[in-house]
Amino acid sequence: MALVNSLYSQAAKGALCKAFGVRLVANPSVVQLAKNSGFDALFIDLEHSTLSINDASLLCMAGLQIGITPFVRVPHQCGNGFVQRVMDGGAMGAAVTISKYPPFGCRSMTGQLPIFELRSTLANTIIDETNAHGSSVLLMIETRDSVDKVEEIAAVDGVDVLLIGSNDLAIELGVPGQFESSEFRNALEKVSQACQKNNKIFGLAGIYDAPKIQSWALNTLGARFILGQQDSGLLATGGKRCAEAISEVLK
């Protein structure tokens, strides 16, 4: 079977890959809701959540079944073993060497993988299809050091996306929450330029309900991967609006 990866298919058209963040809801029904809403990918967060690897696998498998590409954010310094378990659970994206099979990486081979519908699959097919389509590499740019070394990072073979972690990066730059500041904007411009130079995809995460900044990132800087919102954020804002609307009716 040929693997379909929305990050690659959208990038090939110069289109935007829209990701839905999951950090709270373990029920796979949330995946169908994300698909119905028009998102192309999942961004399952195992760094800032209590979701387990098993939760992530169930979400990934649901995504694979209905055609929404699952990516998983792993915790900082979690180790290759953790990343490999996430990938074997159905994720289609992680970090470079452990996400790829030899000769491009050092991922260990196993059978009945979710991305191949748990079917027995020839080893060569697993290697070729996974390395080409089922192992996207998204690197988070969240520190001043990563911005300073972005040319070196962007030049790494096998990296697909440099994804801005907006909140952590702004804090590192000394401008927490100040996404309109020159410090933050200059950093994004530098990352964008490195992506363009090295044919990588520029991505934005952590900035929601801010169309002006999002428009600048998408239309000026050329971002083609964006984390649109997370389940927790949608529940928080939607719940608040609902309660306020009910209170207004009472008046």
Side-chain angles (χ1 to χ4, degrees), residues 120-196:
S120 295
T121 308
L122 293 174
N124 284 342
T125 300
I126 292 176
I127 292 170
D128 293 343
E129 286 292 317
T130 302
N131 283 351
H133 307 291
S135 54
S136 300
V137 178
L138 298 86
L139 300 184
M140 300 290 292
I141 303 297
E142 300 181 308
T143 65
R144 185 186 297 273
D145 189 50
S146 63
V147 174
D148 291 340
K149 297 178 180 177
V150 70
E151 287 285 350
E152 180 181 348
I153 295 169
V156 174
D157 189 30
V159 170
D160 295 299
V161 180
L162 298 189
L163 181 60
I164 299 293
S166 299
N167 287 291
D168 285 340
L169 180 57
I171 291 171
E172 277 269 331
L173 296 174
V175 288
Q178 299 175 46
F179 302 128
E180 293 285 2
S181 66
S182 59
E183 292 86 351
F184 184 78
R185 292 172 69 92
N186 289 342
L188 265 61
E189 288 174 348
K190 186 175 181 180
V191 176
S192 170
Q193 291 166 5
C195 286
Q196 293 175 25

Side-chain angles (χ1 to χ4, degrees), residues 33 67 69 76 78 121 125 143 190 200:
L33 294 174
T69 305
H76 179 54
C78 63
T121 308
T125 300
T143 65
K190 186 175 181 180
K200 309 299 185 185

